[in-house]
Amino acid sequence: MNRCGGLPYFYNRKTHRAICGATTEDNFVKWAHGGDSEEFFSPPPTQEELAVLYRVTGLNARMNRRMDRVKNKGQSKMQGLSG
């Protein structure tokens, strides 16, 4: 049983090393040539993935907007008490 639990999974029979999951091209080439490679080394997120993380729609965005309103309301009340 491997520690990976995910796909893709690459195993080098010569070096007995593995790569688990998505990786960078450089890490994959190092692994394929028997060099030092990281077993878990995810590539940086794409622009599309970043856009999804920071989008302003959906449940998380609605919750963030609500929390911002609550925070702003509380801050304005605190300023009113101190002024």
Side-chain angles (χ1 to χ4, degrees):
M1 183 168 159
N2 66 45
R3 300 180 312 176
C4 181
L7 293 175
Y9 180 76
F10 301 100
Y11 182 76
N12 188 327
R13 292 187 290 174
K14 290 182 182 177
T15 62
H16 304 287
R17 295 189 60 126
I19 288 184
C20 183
T23 190
T24 62
E25 184 178 354
D26 289 338
N27 193 50
F28 188 78
V29 169
K30 287 178 190 175
W31 168 84
H33 292 291
D36 279 342
S37 62
E38 297 291 328
E39 183 175 2
F40 300 96
F41 189 71
S42 296
T46 63
Q47 290 297 325
E48 182 180 358
E49 291 168 333
L50 288 173
V52 168
L53 281 174
Y54 298 111
R55 67 182 171 198
V56 292
T57 60
L59 177 62
N60 285 337
R62 288 192 301 272
M63 288 174 34
N64 286 337
R65 285 193 299 268
R66 181 171 175 88
M67 291 305 296
D68 286 341
R69 284 195 303 268
V70 169
K71 183 175 89 173
N72 291 337
K73 186 176 178 181
Q75 285 177 342
S76 66
K77 282 188 176 187
M78 289 175 67
Q79 288 173 352
L81 293 174
S82 65

